[in-house]
């Protein structure tokens, strides 16, 4: 009887602790997670669950930091489901005092890869063996694009994601991808150094070779071929990373995700009240046009989203600015502030040495 009483008390304490934990998690996130808190807790040692918790935490952290800077505006929080499996949470702020548009999305989707998406992956060197023409997959990530109103505050983008595919013989292929990059309208060297240094510190905790490698990858990836210039002043970017081990890559991705707020928020605080001219605003709109060109023509994530059946187009195109402009044959005067940023976009710089 005594043992049973102890067991009951233990079980009651356990249940109370779980409820408390659930309440705390609920308050920490912007919305309930796609997989459900109970399910995440039940599988909390599995990497998939830990990654989902990380992307939920990152979303909440970034949204709160942005909302603190733009108290008049608020995030519309939109949870959605995908009939093929999974869903997501889109948090979008529009027309604030500081941010013209800021979106932070989480998606956790599963199902079968479309033929088109599988082809895109095979073209990157993945050998995928389908069973009856089907490839079960699971993909999750957090992605964000922040377009401020003031031309002296840069646009920022980050994305961290995990992918798993089960092949015909049951073996699982997995990899991580992601990055954080900055797109200023005008060059501020001090900001560029702060941004890159913060990302370098996150990488250096894991391996000193990572920052130079992923910085170069970022400069190469965000290249608008038809313009001969980069989308911005870079940062870090990586994809298909599956070594040294799942745990080590996860810890690295976690460090990068935790660096998002410190690498960007101080820059916003510093410039969000700077005065600007109509000419500077016009230049910002023209640079935004380039941003749109890259995202629609070259971006792998946008392409994958548009090719995945049942994907949510509104969330995929959230990265596009509220306003942008294309002017015929626009060339800034030589030795102007506008020409200065173009020079860096054509010839990437080393910001940390």
């Amino acid at each position: 009887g005594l043992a049973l009483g102890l067991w009951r008390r233990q079980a009651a304490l356990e249940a109370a602790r779980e409820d408390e934990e659930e309440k705390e998690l609920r308050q920490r996130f912007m919305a309930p997670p796609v997989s459900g808190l109970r399910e995440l807790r039940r599988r909390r040692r599995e990497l998939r669950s830990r990654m989902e918790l990380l992307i939920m935490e990152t979303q909440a952290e970034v949204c709160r930091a942005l909302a603190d800077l733009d108290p008049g505006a608020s995030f519309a929080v939109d949870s959605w489901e995908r009939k093929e499996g999974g869903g997501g949470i889109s948090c979008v702020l529009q027309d604030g005092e500081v941010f013209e548009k800021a979106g932070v999305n989480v998606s956790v989707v599963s199902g079968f890869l479309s033929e088109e998406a599988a082809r895109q992956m095979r073209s990157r060197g993945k050998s995928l063996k389908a069973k009856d023409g089907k490839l079960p997959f699971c993909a999750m990530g957090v992605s964000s694009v922040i377009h401020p109103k003031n031309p002296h505050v840069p646009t920022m983008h980050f994305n961290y994601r995990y992918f798993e595919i089960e092949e015909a013989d049951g073996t699982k292929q997995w990899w991580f991808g992601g990055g954080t990059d900055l797109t200023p309208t005008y060059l501020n060297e001090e900001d560029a150094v702060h941004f890159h240094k913060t990302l370098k510190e996150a990488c250096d905790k894991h391996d000193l070779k990572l920052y130079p490698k992923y910085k170069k990858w970022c400069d190469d990836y965000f290249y608008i071929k038809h313009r001969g210039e980069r989308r911005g002043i870079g940062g870090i970017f990586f994809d298909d990373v599956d070594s040294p081990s799942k745990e080590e890559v996860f810890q690295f991705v976690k460090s990068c995700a935790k660096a998002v707020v410190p690498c960007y928020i101080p820059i916003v605080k510093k410039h969000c009240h700077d005065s600007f001219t109509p000419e500077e605003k016009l230049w910002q709109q023209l640079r935004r046009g380039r941003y749109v060109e890259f995202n629609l023509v070259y971006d792998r994530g946008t392409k994958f989203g548009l090719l995945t059946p049942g994907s949510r187009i509104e969330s995929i195109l959230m990265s596009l600015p509220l306003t942008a402009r294309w002017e015929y044959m626009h060339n800034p005067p030589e030795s102007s502030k506008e020409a200065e940023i173009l020079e860096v976009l054509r010839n990437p710089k080393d910001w940390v040495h």
Side-chain angles (χ1 to χ4, degrees):
L2 186 65
L4 186 62
L6 277 172
W7 178 81
R8 280 199 180 124
R9 203 159 76 227
Q10 189 67 35
L13 282 169
E14 187 72 23
R17 204 187 76 229
E18 283 197 357
D19 285 347
E20 202 47 51
E21 209 177 280
E22 193 157 321
K23 208 161 86 187
E24 190 205 328
L25 279 179
R26 212 175 280 268
Q27 285 166 345
R28 236 168 55 201
F29 298 151
M30 299 300 284
V34 175
S35 300
L37 286 168
R38 291 237 148 91
E39 185 60 15
L40 285 178
R41 192 180 310 102
R42 201 171 61 76
R43 300 202 323 252
R44 63 171 160 250
R45 287 189 177 82
E46 285 180 31
L47 192 119
R48 271 166 68 163
S49 298
R50 291 162 67 206
M51 183 65 180
E52 188 169 346
L53 286 168
L54 174 65
I55 61 181
M56 292 294 299
E57 272 166 24
T58 305
Q59 180 183 50
E61 231 167 73
V62 173
C63 286
R64 288 189 182 122
L66 297 174
D68 284 350
L69 293 177
D70 206 340
S74 62
F75 276 94
V77 179
D78 196 4
S79 293
W80 50 274
E81 276 180 30
R82 177 174 170 270
K83 69 175 194 301
E84 292 82 356
I89 300 143
S90 298
C91 297
V92 181
L93 180 160
Q94 277 187 159
D95 240 344
E97 287 295 310
V98 175
F99 302 108
E100 189 172 294
K101 188 175 176 196
V104 192
N105 286 352
V106 154
S107 69
V108 180
V109 299
S110 55
F112 297 104
L113 268 194
S114 71
E115 201 34 63
E116 192 57 45
R119 196 175 308 136
Q120 200 188 324
M121 284 177 184
R122 287 192 181 104
S123 73
R124 295 191 343 243
K126 299 245 168 255
S127 65
L128 303 171
K129 295 182 280 296
K131 186 181 186 177
D132 308 325
K134 290 192 163 167
L135 276 166
F137 82 98
C138 149
M140 60 179 72
V142 56
S143 72
S144 170
V145 178
I146 298 153
H147 294 290
K149 280 203 161 154
N150 193 312
H152 299 293
V153 183
T155 283
M156 197 266 286
H157 155 261
F158 75 88
N159 170 299
Y160 290 99
R161 58 193 180 276
Y162 173 69
F163 218 98
E164 208 174 79
I165 286 182
E166 195 176 319
E167 293 192 273
D169 58 3
T171 53
K172 281 187 179 163
Q173 279 205 47
W174 58 268
W175 62 89
F176 288 88
T180 304
D181 61 281
L182 198 68
T183 305
T185 301
Y186 288 97
L187 185 64
N188 179 304
E189 299 240 348
E190 205 178 84
D191 297 345
V193 170
H194 164 80
F195 184 80
H196 277 269
K197 267 198 166 148
T198 311
L199 294 177
K200 182 180 183 298
E201 279 162 23
C203 294
D204 286 356
K205 281 184 204 158
H206 301 271
D207 184 340
L208 297 178
K209 291 196 223 57
L210 295 177
Y211 170 76
K213 180 181 173 184
Y214 294 159
K215 189 250 183 222
K216 183 184 182 318
W217 200 338
C218 188
D219 289 334
D220 293 344
Y221 178 76
F222 291 104
Y223 181 60
I224 310 171
K225 284 194 199 70
H226 60 270
R227 297 284 190 183
E229 60 193 44
R230 272 90 201 146
R231 187 177 78 175
I233 58 158
I236 55 171
F237 177 85
F238 56 92
D239 207 354
D240 301 329
V241 177
D242 57 5
S243 67
S245 73
K246 209 183 247 192
E247 184 58 35
E248 283 169 281
V249 188
F250 173 71
Q251 291 301 336
F252 164 64
V253 166
K254 191 174 181 175
S255 296
C256 294
K258 295 285 173 215
V260 169
V261 167
C263 76
Y264 181 60
I265 295 297
I267 298 174
V268 183
K269 278 187 176 154
K270 186 172 145 190
H271 298 290
C272 63
H273 300 300
D274 289 5
S275 59
F276 58 88
T277 65
E279 290 73 29
E280 288 170 332
K281 188 70 187 169
L282 170 71
W283 177 243
Q284 180 197 45
Q285 299 291 295
L286 291 165
R287 296 313 310 161
R288 292 240 188 100
R290 299 286 207 267
Y291 205 92
V292 173
E293 287 174 32
F294 178 84
N295 280 27
L296 293 182
V297 179
Y298 301 112
D299 188 67
R300 198 183 284 167
T302 305
K303 278 187 184 169
F304 177 79
L306 297 175
L307 297 173
T308 302
S311 58
R312 192 164 187 272
I313 302 304
E314 283 299 318
S315 297
I316 294 161
L317 298 181
M318 167 219 77
S319 64
L320 302 181
L322 209 53
T323 59
R325 186 178 175 111
W326 284 265
E327 260 187 36
Y328 185 66
M329 301 295 277
H330 183 280
N331 275 315
E334 268 180 58
S335 72
S336 63
K337 297 286 282 173
E338 291 77 10
E340 179 191 32
I341 184 88
L342 279 181
E343 175 54 34
V344 174
L345 300 177
R346 287 170 187 154
N347 304 291
K349 273 180 74 165
D350 176 353
W351 299 102
V352 293
H353 295 104

